[in-house]
Amino acid sequence: MSETTLDLAQLSGLELLRTAMTMAGRPPFIGDLLGMEVDLLEQGKVVFALRTRPDFANPLGTTHGGICATLLDSVMGCAVHSTLEAGVGYTTLELKINYIRAVPTDGQRLTATGTTIHVGRTTATAEGRVVDEQGRLVAHATTTCVIFRGNR
């Protein structure tokens, strides 16, 4: 009986994301910690959602801005990742967020969409939006990612 091992380095960015989400059932690591759900994974576009909860509160009692920042960094970074070929990595170089409205911590579902704007050889840019259950804009952002080719 032979054992097959999945070589993650041989998967494209989109294949790697789909494999990780299938194995974990949700975005691994920080996504799991925050309870993120995957709504869409396609080339250049990613949609994740989460429900707010009381332990996400800032001192004013509304959802801390870091929750939206993490959600936006995740969808924009994964949108970039979904365009990369096997063996290519990336990291966030810059993140710019605009907060539009406060969000209660009462289980409100926030949905974030990340879309690539440009993917070049050494850098990529993406934009993201977070909306509440009523479709109202909560926050929007842009990112620049640096792309690592060869040894990571």
Side-chain angles (χ1 to χ4, degrees):
M1 174 176 0
S2 71
E3 182 179 316
T4 58
T5 305
L6 183 61
D7 183 0
L8 299 179
Q10 299 302 312
L11 300 178
S12 71
L14 184 57
E15 291 168 335
L16 180 64
L17 287 171
R18 287 182 173 158
T19 299
M21 302 308 168
T22 300
M23 291 168 65
R26 62 176 42 176
F29 310 110
I30 192 71
D32 191 41
L33 179 66
L34 296 181
M36 287 184 202
E37 302 167 359
V38 178
D39 287 356
L40 178 73
L41 283 175
E42 61 184 40
Q43 180 115 5
K45 184 175 182 180
V46 172
V47 180
F48 294 165
L50 59 73
R51 292 209 173 269
T52 63
R53 54 190 201 226
D55 59 331
F56 287 177
N58 61 29
L60 298 173
T62 58
T63 299
H64 190 282
I67 300 300
C68 281
T70 302
L71 194 52
L72 284 161
D73 189 39
S74 298
V75 295
M76 293 185 301
C78 286
V80 167
H81 194 172
S82 73
T83 68
L84 302 178
E85 60 268 10
V88 177
Y90 75 98
T91 192
T92 300
L93 184 63
E94 178 267 339
L95 181 65
K96 164 68 171 94
I97 302 172
N98 292 286
Y99 297 99
I100 306 303
R101 71 179 70 247
V103 179
T105 59
D106 61 356
Q108 180 91 210
R109 189 172 200 264
L110 298 179
T111 303
T113 302
T115 309
T116 56
I117 298 169
H118 167 79
V119 180
R121 182 151 178 78
T122 58
T123 61
T125 58
E127 60 190 0
R129 296 170 54 90
V130 177
V131 297
D132 65 14
E133 291 176 338
Q134 292 76 40
R136 297 177 301 184
L137 185 64
V138 170
H140 59 95
T142 57
T143 192
T144 303
C145 295
V146 62
I147 298 173
F148 303 113
R149 299 189 182 275
N151 284 339
R152 296 193 243 185

